[in-house]
Amino acid sequence: MKRLMILTAVLLTTVVAMAQYEEGDFTVKPKVGMNIATLSDADKSITDLHFGLEAEYMVTDNFSLGLGAILSNQGAKYDFWDEYNGQNKYTVDLDYVHVPILASYYVLPGLAVKAGIQPGFKMRAKAKFDDRTIDLDELYKLGSVLLDEDIKVSKFDLSIPVGVSYEYKNFVLDARYNWGLIKVMNVGDAFYNRCFMLSLGYKLQLVD
């Protein structure tokens, strides 16, 4: 009985510590985290970072709408065979500013499931080899002239983010998967972004 009472007290303390927002509350959340990213035709994924800021408005006590801006490094690793040098590797390095537009539903205090849509704007596109780095925009511009074909890296990306978050004492652990809908490059059969994001943020309440 004593152990049961202690466990109950701990659980109650945890529930109280978890934020319980109400309709009309407005919060902002700076965040930083890790990406495990790839492209749909790649050989291997890459691990890199993202950081940004998200705002959230409670439409009801359990449902919210959010908007953010996240700087995210993505890409993938490729292996290819060269008849002179044998096996070679290179990494496609893509930098985006993402604008996640999310709907969140709080199934329990602090625990939310979320989904939405995420436009993205390319900031940089490079291919990294062992001894050099190549700007893909410049490379494809040259290829377009030589091949008389419009080869380019898309400036715009669109993905579907789905995920879950857990908040404790204003700290928010967020796990999210972004499913790309637009081809990153207009060559090949499939160059779509795929990215798992794990982040830690701190939520600040501005309006209650």
Side-chain angles (χ1 to χ4, degrees):
M1 179 63 70
K2 185 177 180 180
R3 289 182 179 179
L4 180 59
M5 292 177 64
I6 293 174
L7 178 60
T8 302
V10 171
L11 291 175
L12 288 174
T13 301
T14 302
V15 170
V16 170
M18 290 186 298
Q20 299 185 47
Y21 298 103
E22 299 177 347
E23 178 181 341
D25 287 352
F26 181 77
T27 60
V28 294
K29 179 183 63 181
K31 59 185 293 185
V32 63
M34 176 187 71
N35 290 341
I36 301 176
T38 190
L39 295 171
S40 53
D41 70 329
D43 298 303
K44 297 177 182 178
S45 62
I46 66 169
T47 301
D48 219 302
L49 299 175
H50 68 267
F51 61 90
L53 183 72
E54 292 184 331
E56 184 179 12
Y57 176 76
M58 297 301 299
V59 180
T60 70
D61 291 352
N62 301 102
F63 177 75
S64 72
L65 294 176
L67 178 68
I70 299 174
L71 181 60
S72 180
N73 181 261
Q74 298 175 200
K77 292 182 179 180
Y78 290 86
D79 299 328
F80 70 98
W81 180 262
D82 185 299
E83 62 178 316
Y84 299 104
N85 301 312
Q87 190 73 15
N88 284 274
K89 300 179 180 181
Y90 70 96
T91 300
V92 173
D93 185 14
L94 304 168
D95 286 344
Y96 290 98
V97 173
H98 290 306
V99 184
I101 304 167
L102 293 171
S104 301
Y105 183 77
Y106 287 82
V107 295
L108 291 171
L111 180 63
V113 293
K114 54 190 63 186
I117 192 166
Q118 179 173 270
F121 304 91
K122 185 201 70 184
M123 305 298 291
R124 185 183 68 166
K126 294 184 179 293
K128 296 180 178 179
F129 297 84
D130 290 336
D131 57 347
R132 66 191 187 279
T133 298
I134 299 175
D135 187 300
L136 285 179
D137 290 313
E138 294 299 322
L139 178 64
Y140 285 170
K141 187 183 298 184
L142 176 61
S144 297
V145 174
L146 295 177
L147 300 177
D148 193 24
E149 182 180 353
D150 186 21
I151 305 173
K152 61 184 179 181
V153 182
S154 176
K155 296 180 180 179
F156 180 74
D157 187 49
L158 185 67
S159 58
I160 299 295
V162 293
V164 62
S165 67
Y166 179 75
E167 180 179 350
Y168 181 76
K169 291 185 177 181
N170 296 95
F171 288 96
V172 183
L173 184 64
D174 189 298
R176 197 177 300 178
Y177 188 80
N178 299 318
W179 185 272
L181 302 177
I182 293 179
K183 288 181 70 173
V184 175
M185 305 172 195
N186 65 338
V187 292
D189 296 325
F191 288 92
Y192 298 92
N193 275 309
R194 304 286 187 259
C195 184
F196 172 75
M197 307 176 81
L198 182 66
S199 67
L200 180 65
Y202 188 82
K203 189 175 285 189
L204 302 168
Q205 189 165 342
L206 301 184
V207 178
D208 55 18

